[in-house]
Amino acid sequence: MDRRRFVQRSILPVMAYAASGSATPSTDEQAGAGGQAGLKEKFFGCIAGCHVGSALKGPCEGWTWQDCEAKFGVIDKLLPYRDYGNNWNREPGTTEDGVERQKMMITAIIEKQDRVTAEDVRKIWVRDMKPEAAGMISEPFEAVLLKMAQSGMPAADIGKYCDYAGLVSMSRSCHAIALINAGDVDSAVNDVMEVGQLYQTANSRGLQWAAIMAIAIATATKPGATVDRVIAAVLKGHPRIGRGVTAEIERGLRVAQPCKDYRELRVAFDKVYFGKGMPYPTSYANEVVTKGICVFSMGVFSMGRGNTKEAMLAAVNMGRDTDCMSACAAGISGALTGAGSIPEEWIKQVDYATTKMPITNSRRSIREHADGLYGAFLARLRRMRAYTAEMEKA
């Protein structure tokens, strides 16, 4: 292939759709309540969907849906809570460990103004991650990973020392890696597999499921993206993703197809996913991502397909790993339709709760995180344009 054809195929398509942050045309059914969303708004919708959706779970993470419903009825507002037995009374809107991971990826991207590697993110870990966060806002095993990061060993080897290679750790936090590669599915998958080695073994099932999230979000940012096109891209898969992963999503969609709302969906999935009696029994990536994609695709709260608010509400009322499921479903939905459906007071409350967190890796607002990512993406485009202009003269 000659140089001009390479430039046209690998760079110009990304530049063409993203340069102006152009709107994504779609029907109301396809785009949920958002109708159309520009690229900058999609960045904000994706991050807001993840952060607000994570916070909506309140005290119910890991509960059965029966226990959630008995205690709260329908969860449709931000709730205060405490967990980990540390007597920290969390403000309504307080986020959790997955958002803390994502914040460090966002910081790395903003500071580099480009795609990042595991080494880039490791530098942020060593500088910004608080050791006392493990067991308070982050998972206890992350203290071990931080020690490994501080040792100077290769960043790509750190995830080998995590005992939980199948967890949703990367899947529910990799949104920023997909956004810096907006529209570029191959690069999004490759970067998630690269950065994910901080948490999990290279090419593990956990990282393959994270790559599914990367495909969904990167595709959702494309011009003309719809719910159906995102699902088609997910089912198409990628050479780095095993066929068993996409087959499980296909099975999940078949299970979900007859369901009319989230109540029927959670009952149907109880027959498929019911792990108990092991570490993190509700938090394996195959379960959480499959459910998240089904929630996104169906609009099972009130049939608003791709609607960000609808996705997070359905997910947090499904039981089991409610925050991770919401981060996945609402993150994809936000990347497609933006944040217009999310109540402004929820976003403000999450930002307020962030200011009250005793330990966090970043106190940026949701808007500051999203706009920082979008600025880094534009910086990447400028470098791509300069490269294209130079190489077209070669």
Side-chain angles (χ1 to χ4, degrees), residues 212-249:
I212 290 290
M213 284 294 298
I215 291 172
I217 292 171
T219 301
T221 62
K222 289 184 177 183
T226 65
V227 170
D228 293 335
R229 288 178 183 178
V230 172
I231 297 301
V234 165
L235 295 179
K236 180 181 177 182
H238 189 274
R240 300 191 68 176
I241 298 173
R243 171 60 186 146
V245 172
T246 53
E248 186 162 347
I249 296 170

PDB file of all heavy atoms in Angstrom, residues 212-249:
ATOM      1  N   ILE A 212     -14.589  -5.056  24.610  1.00  0.00           N
ATOM      2  CA  ILE A 212     -15.971  -4.919  24.135  1.00  0.00           C
ATOM      3  C   ILE A 212     -16.497  -3.521  24.469  1.00  0.00           C
ATOM      4  O   ILE A 212     -17.152  -2.860  23.642  1.00  0.00           O
ATOM      5  CB  ILE A 212     -16.868  -6.001  24.757  1.00  0.00           C
ATOM      6  CG1 ILE A 212     -16.537  -7.384  24.187  1.00  0.00           C
ATOM      7  CG2 ILE A 212     -18.347  -5.668  24.566  1.00  0.00           C
ATOM      8  CD1 ILE A 212     -16.935  -7.586  22.737  1.00  0.00           C
ATOM      9  N   MET A 213     -16.227  -3.061  25.680  1.00  0.00           N
ATOM     10  CA  MET A 213     -16.629  -1.696  26.050  1.00  0.00           C
ATOM     11  C   MET A 213     -15.956  -0.671  25.140  1.00  0.00           C
ATOM     12  O   MET A 213     -16.581   0.319  24.730  1.00  0.00           O
ATOM     13  CB  MET A 213     -16.264  -1.429  27.505  1.00  0.00           C
ATOM     14  CG  MET A 213     -17.191  -2.076  28.518  1.00  0.00           C
ATOM     15  SD  MET A 213     -18.868  -1.396  28.465  1.00  0.00           S
ATOM     16  CE  MET A 213     -18.570   0.312  28.903  1.00  0.00           C
ATOM     17  N   ALA A 214     -14.697  -0.885  24.819  1.00  0.00           N
ATOM     18  CA  ALA A 214     -13.989   0.039  23.937  1.00  0.00           C
ATOM     19  C   ALA A 214     -14.638   0.091  22.565  1.00  0.00           C
ATOM     20  O   ALA A 214     -14.797   1.172  21.978  1.00  0.00           O
ATOM     21  CB  ALA A 214     -12.523  -0.386  23.816  1.00  0.00           C
ATOM     22  N   ILE A 215     -15.024  -1.063  22.036  1.00  0.00           N
ATOM     23  CA  ILE A 215     -15.699  -1.104  20.733  1.00  0.00           C
ATOM     24  C   ILE A 215     -17.005  -0.324  20.800  1.00  0.00           C
ATOM     25  O   ILE A 215     -17.315   0.487  19.918  1.00  0.00           O
ATOM     26  CB  ILE A 215     -15.970  -2.562  20.312  1.00  0.00           C
ATOM     27  CG1 ILE A 215     -14.664  -3.288  19.995  1.00  0.00           C
ATOM     28  CG2 ILE A 215     -16.919  -2.613  19.109  1.00  0.00           C
ATOM     29  CD1 ILE A 215     -14.827  -4.781  19.754  1.00  0.00           C
ATOM     30  N   ALA A 216     -17.787  -0.563  21.846  1.00  0.00           N
ATOM     31  CA  ALA A 216     -19.093   0.074  21.958  1.00  0.00           C
ATOM     32  C   ALA A 216     -18.966   1.593  22.040  1.00  0.00           C
ATOM     33  O   ALA A 216     -19.665   2.334  21.330  1.00  0.00           O
ATOM     34  CB  ALA A 216     -19.838  -0.459  23.180  1.00  0.00           C
ATOM     35  N   ILE A 217     -18.076   2.087  22.881  1.00  0.00           N
ATOM     36  CA  ILE A 217     -17.945   3.532  23.068  1.00  0.00           C
ATOM     37  C   ILE A 217     -17.333   4.187  21.840  1.00  0.00           C
ATOM     38  O   ILE A 217     -17.812   5.230  21.373  1.00  0.00           O
ATOM     39  CB  ILE A 217     -17.128   3.829  24.335  1.00  0.00           C
ATOM     40  CG1 ILE A 217     -17.930   3.405  25.570  1.00  0.00           C
ATOM     41  CG2 ILE A 217     -16.758   5.307  24.416  1.00  0.00           C
ATOM     42  CD1 ILE A 217     -17.150   3.455  26.873  1.00  0.00           C
ATOM     43  N   ALA A 218     -16.274   3.599  21.285  1.00  0.00           N
ATOM     44  CA  ALA A 218     -15.651   4.182  20.095  1.00  0.00           C
ATOM     45  C   ALA A 218     -16.629   4.221  18.934  1.00  0.00           C
ATOM     46  O   ALA A 218     -16.656   5.180  18.155  1.00  0.00           O
ATOM     47  CB  ALA A 218     -14.388   3.404  19.717  1.00  0.00           C
ATOM     48  N   THR A 219     -17.449   3.192  18.798  1.00  0.00           N
ATOM     49  CA  THR A 219     -18.444   3.161  17.722  1.00  0.00           C
ATOM     50  C   THR A 219     -19.556   4.173  17.971  1.00  0.00           C
ATOM     51  O   THR A 219     -20.031   4.832  17.037  1.00  0.00           O
ATOM     52  CB  THR A 219     -19.054   1.754  17.601  1.00  0.00           C
ATOM     53  OG1 THR A 219     -18.007   0.810  17.334  1.00  0.00           O
ATOM     54  CG2 THR A 219     -20.074   1.687  16.472  1.00  0.00           C
ATOM     55  N   ALA A 220     -19.978   4.324  19.217  1.00  0.00           N
ATOM     56  CA  ALA A 220     -21.062   5.249  19.545  1.00  0.00           C
ATOM     57  C   ALA A 220     -20.713   6.698  19.211  1.00  0.00           C
ATOM     58  O   ALA A 220     -21.607   7.512  18.960  1.00  0.00           O
ATOM     59  CB  ALA A 220     -21.423   5.135  21.026  1.00  0.00           C
ATOM     60  N   THR A 221     -19.426   7.027  19.183  1.00  0.00           N
ATOM     61  CA  THR A 221     -19.020   8.402  18.870  1.00  0.00           C
ATOM     62  C   THR A 221     -19.006   8.701  17.375  1.00  0.00           C
ATOM     63  O   THR A 221     -18.849   9.857  16.978  1.00  0.00           O
ATOM     64  CB  THR A 221     -17.618   8.699  19.436  1.00  0.00           C
ATOM     65  OG1 THR A 221     -16.666   7.823  18.816  1.00  0.00           O
ATOM     66  CG2 THR A 221     -17.576   8.536  20.945  1.00  0.00           C
ATOM     67  N   LYS A 222     -19.174   7.687  16.545  1.00  0.00           N
ATOM     68  CA  LYS A 222     -19.081   7.894  15.105  1.00  0.00           C
ATOM     69  C   LYS A 222     -20.285   8.670  14.571  1.00  0.00           C
ATOM     70  O   LYS A 222     -21.380   8.618  15.149  1.00  0.00           O
ATOM     71  CB  LYS A 222     -18.992   6.551  14.375  1.00  0.00           C
ATOM     72  CG  LYS A 222     -17.685   5.810  14.556  1.00  0.00           C
ATOM     73  CD  LYS A 222     -17.677   4.545  13.712  1.00  0.00           C
ATOM     74  CE  LYS A 222     -16.351   3.804  13.819  1.00  0.00           C
ATOM     75  NZ  LYS A 222     -16.328   2.618  12.930  1.00  0.00           N
ATOM     76  N   PRO A 223     -20.125   9.370  13.449  1.00  0.00           N
ATOM     77  CA  PRO A 223     -21.283  10.011  12.829  1.00  0.00           C
ATOM     78  C   PRO A 223     -22.266   8.952  12.346  1.00  0.00           C
ATOM     79  O   PRO A 223     -21.868   7.904  11.852  1.00  0.00           O
ATOM     80  CB  PRO A 223     -20.679  10.783  11.654  1.00  0.00           C
ATOM     81  CG  PRO A 223     -19.402  10.083  11.347  1.00  0.00           C
ATOM     82  CD  PRO A 223     -18.897   9.550  12.651  1.00  0.00           C
ATOM     83  N   GLY A 224     -23.549   9.219  12.518  1.00  0.00           N
ATOM     84  CA  GLY A 224     -24.557   8.264  12.096  1.00  0.00           C
ATOM     85  C   GLY A 224     -24.702   7.072  13.010  1.00  0.00           C
ATOM     86  O   GLY A 224     -25.410   6.116  12.689  1.00  0.00           O
ATOM     87  N   ALA A 225     -24.033   7.105  14.175  1.00  0.00           N
ATOM     88  CA  ALA A 225     -24.131   5.977  15.098  1.00  0.00           C
ATOM     89  C   ALA A 225     -25.558   5.826  15.613  1.00  0.00           C
ATOM     90  O   ALA A 225     -26.266   6.806  15.822  1.00  0.00           O
ATOM     91  CB  ALA A 225     -23.176   6.171  16.272  1.00  0.00           C
ATOM     92  N   THR A 226     -25.971   4.595  15.787  1.00  0.00           N
ATOM     93  CA  THR A 226     -27.279   4.261  16.355  1.00  0.00           C
ATOM     94  C   THR A 226     -27.081   3.111  17.328  1.00  0.00           C
ATOM     95  O   THR A 226     -26.022   2.475  17.364  1.00  0.00           O
ATOM     96  CB  THR A 226     -28.274   3.819  15.263  1.00  0.00           C
ATOM     97  OG1 THR A 226     -27.792   2.588  14.685  1.00  0.00           O
ATOM     98  CG2 THR A 226     -28.437   4.880  14.181  1.00  0.00           C
ATOM     99  N   VAL A 227     -28.111   2.827  18.097  1.00  0.00           N
ATOM    100  CA  VAL A 227     -28.064   1.671  18.990  1.00  0.00           C
ATOM    101  C   VAL A 227     -27.736   0.408  18.197  1.00  0.00           C
ATOM    102  O   VAL A 227     -26.864  -0.382  18.577  1.00  0.00           O
ATOM    103  CB  VAL A 227     -29.405   1.499  19.735  1.00  0.00           C
ATOM    104  CG1 VAL A 227     -29.441   0.171  20.483  1.00  0.00           C
ATOM    105  CG2 VAL A 227     -29.639   2.654  20.700  1.00  0.00           C
ATOM    106  N   ASP A 228     -28.420   0.213  17.086  1.00  0.00           N
ATOM    107  CA  ASP A 228     -28.229  -1.016  16.319  1.00  0.00           C
ATOM    108  C   ASP A 228     -26.818  -1.121  15.737  1.00  0.00           C
ATOM    109  O   ASP A 228     -26.249  -2.210  15.667  1.00  0.00           O
ATOM    110  CB  ASP A 228     -29.268  -1.106  15.204  1.00  0.00           C
ATOM    111  CG  ASP A 228     -30.683  -1.287  15.749  1.00  0.00           C
ATOM    112  OD1 ASP A 228     -30.817  -1.796  16.880  1.00  0.00           O
ATOM    113  OD2 ASP A 228     -31.644  -0.902  15.061  1.00  0.00           O
ATOM    114  N   ARG A 229     -26.262   0.009  15.324  1.00  0.00           N
ATOM    115  CA  ARG A 229     -24.899  -0.029  14.779  1.00  0.00           C
ATOM    116  C   ARG A 229     -23.875  -0.324  15.873  1.00  0.00           C
ATOM    117  O   ARG A 229     -22.871  -1.012  15.633  1.00  0.00           O
ATOM    118  CB  ARG A 229     -24.587   1.293  14.083  1.00  0.00           C
ATOM    119  CG  ARG A 229     -25.346   1.463  12.769  1.00  0.00           C
ATOM    120  CD  ARG A 229     -25.057   2.794  12.106  1.00  0.00           C
ATOM    121  NE  ARG A 229     -25.855   2.938  10.878  1.00  0.00           N
ATOM    122  CZ  ARG A 229     -25.846   4.023  10.105  1.00  0.00           C
ATOM    123  NH1 ARG A 229     -25.099   5.064  10.432  1.00  0.00           N
ATOM    124  NH2 ARG A 229     -26.593   4.061   9.016  1.00  0.00           N
ATOM    125  N   VAL A 230     -24.106   0.194  17.063  1.00  0.00           N
ATOM    126  CA  VAL A 230     -23.207  -0.124  18.172  1.00  0.00           C
ATOM    127  C   VAL A 230     -23.266  -1.616  18.491  1.00  0.00           C
ATOM    128  O   VAL A 230     -22.235  -2.272  18.649  1.00  0.00           O
ATOM    129  CB  VAL A 230     -23.567   0.719  19.413  1.00  0.00           C
ATOM    130  CG1 VAL A 230     -22.769   0.245  20.632  1.00  0.00           C
ATOM    131  CG2 VAL A 230     -23.301   2.203  19.146  1.00  0.00           C
ATOM    132  N   ILE A 231     -24.466  -2.163  18.574  1.00  0.00           N
ATOM    133  CA  ILE A 231     -24.612  -3.595  18.876  1.00  0.00           C
ATOM    134  C   ILE A 231     -23.985  -4.437  17.769  1.00  0.00           C
ATOM    135  O   ILE A 231     -23.317  -5.448  18.038  1.00  0.00           O
ATOM    136  CB  ILE A 231     -26.089  -3.967  19.066  1.00  0.00           C
ATOM    137  CG1 ILE A 231     -26.671  -3.216  20.268  1.00  0.00           C
ATOM    138  CG2 ILE A 231     -26.247  -5.471  19.256  1.00  0.00           C
ATOM    139  CD1 ILE A 231     -25.965  -3.488  21.579  1.00  0.00           C
ATOM    140  N   ALA A 232     -24.160  -4.036  16.524  1.00  0.00           N
ATOM    141  CA  ALA A 232     -23.559  -4.788  15.413  1.00  0.00           C
ATOM    142  C   ALA A 232     -22.038  -4.793  15.521  1.00  0.00           C
ATOM    143  O   ALA A 232     -21.394  -5.824  15.279  1.00  0.00           O
ATOM    144  CB  ALA A 232     -23.999  -4.184  14.080  1.00  0.00           C
ATOM    145  N   ALA A 233     -21.459  -3.649  15.894  1.00  0.00           N
ATOM    146  CA  ALA A 233     -20.000  -3.576  16.042  1.00  0.00           C
ATOM    147  C   ALA A 233     -19.527  -4.470  17.190  1.00  0.00           C
ATOM    148  O   ALA A 233     -18.495  -5.145  17.082  1.00  0.00           O
ATOM    149  CB  ALA A 233     -19.575  -2.130  16.283  1.00  0.00           C
ATOM    150  N   VAL A 234     -20.270  -4.492  18.283  1.00  0.00           N
ATOM    151  CA  VAL A 234     -19.925  -5.346  19.412  1.00  0.00           C
ATOM    152  C   VAL A 234     -19.960  -6.823  19.009  1.00  0.00           C
ATOM    153  O   VAL A 234     -19.048  -7.597  19.321  1.00  0.00           O
ATOM    154  CB  VAL A 234     -20.886  -5.074  20.589  1.00  0.00           C
ATOM    155  CG1 VAL A 234     -20.811  -6.186  21.632  1.00  0.00           C
ATOM    156  CG2 VAL A 234     -20.577  -3.725  21.225  1.00  0.00           C
ATOM    157  N   LEU A 235     -21.016  -7.212  18.310  1.00  0.00           N
ATOM    158  CA  LEU A 235     -21.149  -8.620  17.922  1.00  0.00           C
ATOM    159  C   LEU A 235     -20.135  -9.019  16.852  1.00  0.00           C
ATOM    160  O   LEU A 235     -19.759 -10.195  16.760  1.00  0.00           O
ATOM    161  CB  LEU A 235     -22.568  -8.891  17.437  1.00  0.00           C
ATOM    162  CG  LEU A 235     -23.661  -8.749  18.494  1.00  0.00           C
ATOM    163  CD1 LEU A 235     -25.032  -9.029  17.888  1.00  0.00           C
ATOM    164  CD2 LEU A 235     -23.412  -9.686  19.674  1.00  0.00           C
ATOM    165  N   LYS A 236     -19.708  -8.062  16.059  1.00  0.00           N
ATOM    166  CA  LYS A 236     -18.642  -8.350  15.090  1.00  0.00           C
ATOM    167  C   LYS A 236     -17.355  -8.716  15.799  1.00  0.00           C
ATOM    168  O   LYS A 236     -16.567  -9.544  15.311  1.00  0.00           O
ATOM    169  CB  LYS A 236     -18.423  -7.133  14.196  1.00  0.00           C
ATOM    170  CG  LYS A 236     -17.330  -7.319  13.151  1.00  0.00           C
ATOM    171  CD  LYS A 236     -17.154  -6.061  12.304  1.00  0.00           C
ATOM    172  CE  LYS A 236     -16.013  -6.207  11.307  1.00  0.00           C
ATOM    173  NZ  LYS A 236     -15.808  -4.950  10.520  1.00  0.00           N
ATOM    174  N   GLY A 237     -17.141  -8.112  16.966  1.00  0.00           N
ATOM    175  CA  GLY A 237     -15.965  -8.439  17.752  1.00  0.00           C
ATOM    176  C   GLY A 237     -14.692  -7.851  17.192  1.00  0.00           C
ATOM    177  O   GLY A 237     -14.695  -6.828  16.505  1.00  0.00           O
ATOM    178  N   HIS A 238     -13.579  -8.523  17.471  1.00  0.00           N
ATOM    179  CA  HIS A 238     -12.256  -8.035  17.089  1.00  0.00           C
ATOM    180  C   HIS A 238     -11.306  -9.217  17.144  1.00  0.00           C
ATOM    181  O   HIS A 238     -11.515 -10.160  17.921  1.00  0.00           O
ATOM    182  CB  HIS A 238     -11.809  -6.936  18.071  1.00  0.00           C
ATOM    183  CG  HIS A 238     -10.572  -6.221  17.663  1.00  0.00           C
ATOM    184  ND1 HIS A 238      -9.309  -6.674  17.965  1.00  0.00           N
ATOM    185  CD2 HIS A 238     -10.410  -5.058  16.964  1.00  0.00           C
ATOM    186  CE1 HIS A 238      -8.409  -5.830  17.481  1.00  0.00           C
ATOM    187  NE2 HIS A 238      -9.049  -4.848  16.862  1.00  0.00           N
ATOM    188  N   PRO A 239     -10.237  -9.220  16.326  1.00  0.00           N
ATOM    189  CA  PRO A 239      -9.297 -10.345  16.355  1.00  0.00           C
ATOM    190  C   PRO A 239      -8.698 -10.625  17.730  1.00  0.00           C
ATOM    191  O   PRO A 239      -8.283 -11.759  18.000  1.00  0.00           O
ATOM    192  CB  PRO A 239      -8.215  -9.910  15.356  1.00  0.00           C
ATOM    193  CG  PRO A 239      -8.928  -9.016  14.392  1.00  0.00           C
ATOM    194  CD  PRO A 239      -9.935  -8.278  15.219  1.00  0.00           C
ATOM    195  N   ARG A 240      -8.674  -9.628  18.617  1.00  0.00           N
ATOM    196  CA  ARG A 240      -8.090  -9.835  19.938  1.00  0.00           C
ATOM    197  C   ARG A 240      -9.114 -10.325  20.966  1.00  0.00           C
ATOM    198  O   ARG A 240      -8.774 -10.506  22.135  1.00  0.00           O
ATOM    199  CB  ARG A 240      -7.424  -8.543  20.423  1.00  0.00           C
ATOM    200  CG  ARG A 240      -6.309  -8.060  19.516  1.00  0.00           C
ATOM    201  CD  ARG A 240      -5.499  -6.952  20.148  1.00  0.00           C
ATOM    202  NE  ARG A 240      -4.728  -7.424  21.292  1.00  0.00           N
ATOM    203  CZ  ARG A 240      -3.869  -6.672  21.976  1.00  0.00           C
ATOM    204  NH1 ARG A 240      -3.689  -5.395  21.624  1.00  0.00           N
ATOM    205  NH2 ARG A 240      -3.203  -7.153  23.006  1.00  0.00           N
ATOM    206  N   ILE A 241     -10.334 -10.524  20.526  1.00  0.00           N
ATOM    207  CA  ILE A 241     -11.403 -10.950  21.430  1.00  0.00           C
ATOM    208  C   ILE A 241     -11.861 -12.351  21.029  1.00  0.00           C
ATOM    209  O   ILE A 241     -12.194 -12.594  19.871  1.00  0.00           O
ATOM    210  CB  ILE A 241     -12.595  -9.980  21.367  1.00  0.00           C
ATOM    211  CG1 ILE A 241     -12.157  -8.578  21.811  1.00  0.00           C
ATOM    212  CG2 ILE A 241     -13.749 -10.468  22.235  1.00  0.00           C
ATOM    213  CD1 ILE A 241     -13.222  -7.517  21.618  1.00  0.00           C
ATOM    214  N   GLY A 242     -11.887 -13.266  21.986  1.00  0.00           N
ATOM    215  CA  GLY A 242     -12.287 -14.641  21.699  1.00  0.00           C
ATOM    216  C   GLY A 242     -13.748 -14.747  21.311  1.00  0.00           C
ATOM    217  O   GLY A 242     -14.590 -13.961  21.757  1.00  0.00           O
ATOM    218  N   ARG A 243     -14.055 -15.745  20.516  1.00  0.00           N
ATOM    219  CA  ARG A 243     -15.425 -15.941  20.051  1.00  0.00           C
ATOM    220  C   ARG A 243     -16.378 -16.209  21.215  1.00  0.00           C
ATOM    221  O   ARG A 243     -17.556 -15.826  21.176  1.00  0.00           O
ATOM    222  CB  ARG A 243     -15.458 -17.121  19.060  1.00  0.00           C
ATOM    223  CG  ARG A 243     -16.855 -17.574  18.665  1.00  0.00           C
ATOM    224  CD  ARG A 243     -17.661 -16.482  17.994  1.00  0.00           C
ATOM    225  NE  ARG A 243     -19.048 -16.915  17.769  1.00  0.00           N
ATOM    226  CZ  ARG A 243     -20.102 -16.120  17.816  1.00  0.00           C
ATOM    227  NH1 ARG A 243     -19.952 -14.834  18.069  1.00  0.00           N
ATOM    228  NH2 ARG A 243     -21.303 -16.601  17.603  1.00  0.00           N
ATOM    229  N   GLY A 244     -15.878 -16.790  22.285  1.00  0.00           N
ATOM    230  CA  GLY A 244     -16.734 -17.051  23.435  1.00  0.00           C
ATOM    231  C   GLY A 244     -17.308 -15.788  24.051  1.00  0.00           C
ATOM    232  O   GLY A 244     -18.406 -15.817  24.623  1.00  0.00           O
ATOM    233  N   VAL A 245     -16.597 -14.683  23.939  1.00  0.00           N
ATOM    234  CA  VAL A 245     -17.074 -13.416  24.496  1.00  0.00           C
ATOM    235  C   VAL A 245     -18.295 -12.927  23.722  1.00  0.00           C
ATOM    236  O   VAL A 245     -19.345 -12.628  24.297  1.00  0.00           O
ATOM    237  CB  VAL A 245     -15.947 -12.367  24.489  1.00  0.00           C
ATOM    238  CG1 VAL A 245     -16.479 -10.997  24.892  1.00  0.00           C
ATOM    239  CG2 VAL A 245     -14.814 -12.799  25.423  1.00  0.00           C
ATOM    240  N   THR A 246     -18.165 -12.824  22.405  1.00  0.00           N
ATOM    241  CA  THR A 246     -19.305 -12.356  21.616  1.00  0.00           C
ATOM    242  C   THR A 246     -20.459 -13.348  21.651  1.00  0.00           C
ATOM    243  O   THR A 246     -21.626 -12.952  21.606  1.00  0.00           O
ATOM    244  CB  THR A 246     -18.881 -12.067  20.169  1.00  0.00           C
ATOM    245  OG1 THR A 246     -18.207 -13.218  19.622  1.00  0.00           O
ATOM    246  CG2 THR A 246     -17.954 -10.864  20.102  1.00  0.00           C
ATOM    247  N   ALA A 247     -20.156 -14.640  21.773  1.00  0.00           N
ATOM    248  CA  ALA A 247     -21.224 -15.637  21.877  1.00  0.00           C
ATOM    249  C   ALA A 247     -22.022 -15.442  23.156  1.00  0.00           C
ATOM    250  O   ALA A 247     -23.255 -15.612  23.169  1.00  0.00           O
ATOM    251  CB  ALA A 247     -20.639 -17.049  21.839  1.00  0.00           C
ATOM    252  N   GLU A 248     -21.353 -15.055  24.247  1.00  0.00           N
ATOM    253  CA  GLU A 248     -22.069 -14.814  25.499  1.00  0.00           C
ATOM    254  C   GLU A 248     -22.964 -13.576  25.390  1.00  0.00           C
ATOM    255  O   GLU A 248     -24.071 -13.560  25.936  1.00  0.00           O
ATOM    256  CB  GLU A 248     -21.086 -14.655  26.653  1.00  0.00           C
ATOM    257  CG  GLU A 248     -21.771 -14.544  28.001  1.00  0.00           C
ATOM    258  CD  GLU A 248     -20.854 -14.804  29.175  1.00  0.00           C
ATOM    259  OE1 GLU A 248     -19.727 -15.316  28.963  1.00  0.00           O
ATOM    260  OE2 GLU A 248     -21.256 -14.508  30.314  1.00  0.00           O
ATOM    261  N   ILE A 249     -22.506 -12.561  24.675  1.00  0.00           N
ATOM    262  CA  ILE A 249     -23.351 -11.381  24.468  1.00  0.00           C
ATOM    263  C   ILE A 249     -24.564 -11.753  23.624  1.00  0.00           C
ATOM    264  O   ILE A 249     -25.690 -11.320  23.908  1.00  0.00           O
ATOM    265  CB  ILE A 249     -22.550 -10.252  23.809  1.00  0.00           C
ATOM    266  CG1 ILE A 249     -21.423  -9.792  24.741  1.00  0.00           C
ATOM    267  CG2 ILE A 249     -23.455  -9.064  23.461  1.00  0.00           C
ATOM    268  CD1 ILE A 249     -20.434  -8.843  24.100  1.00  0.00           C
TER     269      ILE A 249
END
